[in-house]
Amino acid sequence: MNSEINIVSGEKRGHEESEFESKRPRLDNQSTTDSSSSSLYLDTINRHMLDFDFEKVCSVSLSNLNVYACLVCGKYFQGRGRNSHAYFHSLHEDHHVFINLHTLQVYVLPDGYEVKDSSLNDIKYVLHPTFTEEQVALLDQNTKHSYDLNNKKYLPGFVGLNNVKANDYVNVVIQALAHIPPLRDYFILQNFENSTQLVQRFSILVRKIWNPQAFKGQVSPHELLQEISNASNKRFKLAEQSDPIDFLCWFLNSLHKDLGGTKKQNSSIIHKIFQGEVKVDSQMIIAKTDVEEKDRSFDVDREIVTKRSPFLLLNLDLPPPPLFQDEVEKNIIPQVALTTILSKYDGRTPLESAGTLKRSQLVHLPNYIIFHIKRFTKNNWAAEKNPTIVNFPIKNLDMGEYLENPSAENLSTHYDLIANICHEGKPGKGKGIYKVHVQHRGKDQWYQIQDLIVEEINAQMIFLSESYIQATYFNLEMP
């Protein structure tokens, strides 16, 4: 029996399934044993039942130690010895093929012998996708669709994430981060066996998002969500929607710490990619009855305190929407240019905060800038949302005019948009939804992803969304 073709079930495949088999790539770098698949029970394996996205704990004891997956029904069991749950399952259900979820070794139970067969390579790859440096370098240029077990095509890197309960706020952040090349490449190529569970599970999820040999065209972030809940002491929960900017800040700082990062510059991949520096001048305000708030300025004759601080993202304030509108004005959506709300960092525009006058200017630009457009505010009664649309360039945003010394930058000050997170609906937990726009640079095509829904979108349509978080990156081709 040909193990490469007849491994999925004991029944013979039809013409369509044989044709599909030719579309799906296989790993052929391991030798095949002389034993036939039928004698090893490999023809009882049901790939349609396998789902390795969920937390790897025994379905009986709930232990996460020495867990095996039954390759016939997909359930997880602890151990393989004579008193183990996997052993009893093999006897009671007549299911005999199990894979260790950590070592990727495959055993036949209750006999207990290991199986080494090249027909199992695709299962091992789905469980733990691996990439070479050459493959990673070509990820952004790949325009070839892959096919899942149901012969449905999907584009690696542009797959949906399950909304387990109310985790759309996590999904959009993960999608955005998974499309930042240096961060994605780092978490795909590095070995995190000795790192924290948060780092390990994020790495696995990024690999699965970009997996060209998946059994299904979507991924569940369940394992990462469980660890996020644990690591944040239940601050971010599966069943309760939170603010993606709060999660993003916590997540980046947690990854930085778990990767051995310190307060020193470039001490982790997170700081190497996202950390910039801003200078803030501040001066106490002396009340003057004859000076309006909008006309306040720094008094050069009094002390001005200057402080330089690192940042991982830049907060941008929207102008307040009109309070009173007639019937015609209600149909007009307020708009503002991104350059207008960036003016707070030009070193000239003073802003008043808690009795202090402040002005800010960028000292050092990071390779990738994250903008947080402050769309939500809270008062004593309820949360409010500013509906103002931000007009921003997709390509060639020049940040040079906000730098203290543009000539000191070694790289270009021009940025292109790489990801855009937006909010639709009313403010408040569970009253709106989050979507993310990401670009396939090889095809120059933008995609809108909302949980499991992935669809192409015209670049001009992105401008109409109520942007909340944006990630931009250096355009290194600019002079």
Side-chain angles (χ1 to χ4, degrees), residues 16-203:
E16 290 184 3
E17 201 164 354
S18 297
E19 183 180 36
F20 159 62
E21 193 70 28
S22 67
K23 292 180 179 178
R24 290 182 49 75
R26 294 282 186 184
L27 297 179
D28 298 314
N29 57 348
Q30 294 186 16
S31 60
T32 306
T33 60
D34 294 331
S35 301
S36 67
S37 293
S38 58
S39 64
L40 298 173
Y41 300 104
L42 298 191
D43 56 352
T44 66
I45 294 175
N46 188 350
R47 284 165 170 76
H48 291 275
M49 298 297 294
L50 304 182
D51 189 345
F52 300 124
D53 291 345
F54 291 91
E55 193 164 17
K56 295 172 177 57
V57 296
C58 174
S59 58
V60 180
S61 67
L62 301 182
S63 171
N64 61 357
L65 301 176
N66 199 25
V67 179
Y68 289 76
C70 173
L71 296 185
V72 181
C73 67
K75 293 180 179 179
Y76 294 172
F77 298 97
Q78 185 180 19
R80 60 182 175 87
R82 287 186 174 273
N83 295 321
S84 68
H85 298 296
Y87 186 89
F88 291 134
H89 179 75
S90 69
L91 293 176
H92 295 162
E93 302 296 333
D94 200 26
H95 295 174
H96 300 286
V97 191
F98 295 79
I99 186 171
N100 186 295
L101 296 177
H102 179 68
T103 66
L104 306 186
Q105 293 174 293
V106 178
Y107 294 89
V108 167
L109 299 181
D111 305 74
Y113 58 85
E114 183 179 359
V115 180
K116 296 181 179 180
D117 194 291
S118 64
S119 64
L120 299 170
N121 288 350
D122 62 335
I123 296 177
K124 296 178 180 180
Y125 191 86
V126 168
L127 179 55
H128 189 80
T130 55
F131 297 78
T132 65
E133 291 186 6
E134 292 75 15
Q135 290 171 329
V136 169
L138 296 174
L139 286 178
D140 291 324
Q141 283 72 48
N142 174 54
T143 59
K144 182 180 178 181
H145 284 82
S146 296
Y147 293 83
D148 64 14
L149 287 179
N150 295 314
N151 206 15
K152 292 182 178 179
K153 67 179 182 179
Y154 68 93
L155 190 60
F158 299 85
V159 297
L161 295 178
N162 279 335
N163 189 341
V164 179
K165 289 186 179 179
N167 54 274
D168 60 338
Y169 72 98
V170 173
N171 289 354
V172 291
V173 170
I174 298 302
Q175 291 280 14
L177 295 179
H179 284 84
I180 296 178
L183 189 72
R184 173 200 64 197
D185 299 353
Y186 179 83
F187 278 94
I188 286 179
L189 292 173
Q190 296 297 317
N191 183 357
F192 297 107
E193 187 173 353
N194 297 321
S195 297
T196 64
Q197 281 296 306
L198 187 70
V199 171
Q200 290 184 34
R201 295 187 184 192
F202 178 60
S203 172

Side-chain angles (χ1 to χ4, degrees), residues 171-173 175-177 179-180 244 248 338 369-373 375 389-394 416-424 433-439 441 446-450 457-473:
N171 289 354
V172 291
V173 170
Q175 291 280 14
L177 295 179
H179 284 84
I180 296 178
L248 176 61
L338 178 61
I369 298 181
I370 299 175
F371 293 138
H372 166 218
I373 300 172
R375 193 169 292 280
I389 297 296
V390 179
N391 298 316
F392 53 87
I394 295 287
D416 292 348
L417 184 68
I418 195 172
N420 177 62
I421 296 174
C422 63
H423 180 269
E424 292 184 4
I433 58 173
Y434 292 100
K435 299 180 180 181
V436 61
H437 303 117
V438 289
Q439 185 191 32
R441 288 178 290 284
W446 283 87
Y447 289 84
Q448 177 175 275
I449 304 178
Q450 179 197 342
I457 184 173
N458 192 304
Q460 283 71 31
M461 297 298 293
I462 300 176
F463 300 113
L464 302 179
S465 64
E466 295 178 346
S467 299
Y468 188 43
I469 304 172
Q470 291 187 334
T472 61
Y473 72 103

Side-chain angles (χ1 to χ4, degrees), residues 5 241 296 309 377 385:
I5 297 179
Q241 189 184 64
R296 292 191 188 279
S309 303
T377 56
K385 177 183 176 181

Side-chain angles (χ1 to χ4, degrees), residues 279 323 399:
K279 180 185 73 172
L323 292 178
M399 293 292 294

